Amino acid sequence: GAGVSQSPRYKVAKRGQDVALRCDPISGHVSLFWYQQALGQGPEFLTYFQNEAQLDKSGLPSDRFFAERPEGSVSTLKIQRTQQEDSAVYLCASSLTLGGRSSYEQYFGPGTRLTVT
Amino acid sequence: GENVEQHPSTLSVQEGDSAVIKCTYSDSASNYFPWYKQELGKGPQLIIDIRSNVGEKKDQRIAVTLNKTAKHFSLHITETQPEDSAVYFCAASGAGWGKLQFGAGTQVVVTP
């Protein structure tokens, strides 16, 4: 019964570098969410996948942020040309599905702490 | 869009006392309200949730109440223990894909 896993747990990038953050959702979970958590704040929604389809990317802060989930399981969040303001914890959450009584529970991974220097 | 406000930002209680955290939301279409506990260096852990067709839900020492008319919901922790010390977040989700709007968090400190 593995939970959501994320890698790497910590990432230090020089400003201008590209980074890729990985999320392995709970097996069988259809829905996958990415959130960004700044220090001392609550998580902020970035993007949502249902299987391989990216249905909502309204929270992505700029076109430097890109997410994919090509086979409907593992997801990658990519940030191009990182800036200091991108420093945050990036959280991934998965949910069984949508539409049923027990469909809304989102289970979070441990996050990836990104520091841009 | 949805806006969730959470109070207080910090809460210090003696072990054995009760703790109450309150949240308000703005979108009347919101219908799902989870609470998460986040310990240092870890991801948020779902501890209890409530849906809009229910007014109260309990699970051992924790309970959540929802007032749809006033658009506020609260977390109650009874008989607090040192291991309850953490940051607690409320959240709300409305119609659509289930994305959560979080409050700013409450740092709870339980002193022995």
Side-chain angles (χ1 to χ4, degrees), chain A residues 17-74:
Chain A
Q17 283 185 331
D18 297 350
V19 298
L21 313 180
R22 177 187 168 106
C23 171
D24 283 84
I26 295 171
S27 178
H29 276 199
V30 168
S31 296
L32 186 146
F33 301 81
W34 283 98
Y35 293 84
Q36 179 190 60
Q37 186 174 26
L39 192 63
Q41 302 294 319
E44 296 274 350
F45 170 80
L46 292 177
T47 188
Y48 164 69
F49 289 87
Q50 189 172 97
N51 294 308
E52 70 278 4
Q54 188 175 22
L55 299 183
D56 187 344
K57 51 182 181 179
S58 62
L60 296 176
S62 77
D63 59 8
R64 296 186 296 104
F65 286 70
F66 171 77
E68 60 183 4
R69 194 186 184 198
E71 297 178 357
S73 179
V74 170

Side-chain angles (χ1 to χ4, degrees), chain B residues 33-53:
Chain B
F33 307 91
W35 286 87
Y36 287 87
K37 174 183 181 182
Q38 188 173 30
E39 296 174 315
L40 202 60
K42 297 185 178 181
Q45 175 195 1
L46 179 66
I47 56 171
I48 196 167
D49 57 12
I50 192 167
R51 301 178 196 279
S52 58
N53 58 348

Side-chain angles (χ1 to χ4, degrees), chain A:
Chain A
V4 178
S5 61
Q6 293 186 246
S7 61
R9 291 293 317 277
Y10 304 92
K11 176 70 179 177
V12 178
K14 290 190 189 308
R15 192 175 61 181
Q17 283 185 331
D18 297 350
V19 298
L21 313 180
R22 177 187 168 106
C23 171
D24 283 84
I26 295 171
S27 178
H29 276 199
V30 168
S31 296
L32 186 146
F33 301 81
W34 283 98
Y35 293 84
Q36 179 190 60
Q37 186 174 26
L39 192 63
Q41 302 294 319
E44 296 274 350
F45 170 80
L46 292 177
T47 188
Y48 164 69
F49 289 87
Q50 189 172 97
N51 294 308
E52 70 278 4
Q54 188 175 22
L55 299 183
D56 187 344
K57 51 182 181 179
S58 62
L60 296 176
S62 77
D63 59 8
R64 296 186 296 104
F65 286 70
F66 171 77
E68 60 183 4
R69 194 186 184 198
E71 297 178 357
S73 179
V74 170
S75 177
T76 304
L77 176 67
K78 298 179 179 177
I79 309 173
Q80 298 177 321
R81 304 181 304 281
T82 51
Q83 304 294 314
Q84 281 194 315
E85 60 262 29
D86 299 335
S87 295
V89 174
Y90 291 85
L91 295 163
C92 175
S94 71
S95 182
L96 186 58
T97 186
L98 284 179
R101 281 184 57 82
S102 60
S103 61
Y104 288 114
E105 292 88 349
Q106 291 184 29
Y107 299 95
F108 282 81
T112 295
R113 179 176 295 279
L114 173 65
T115 303
V116 181
T117 60

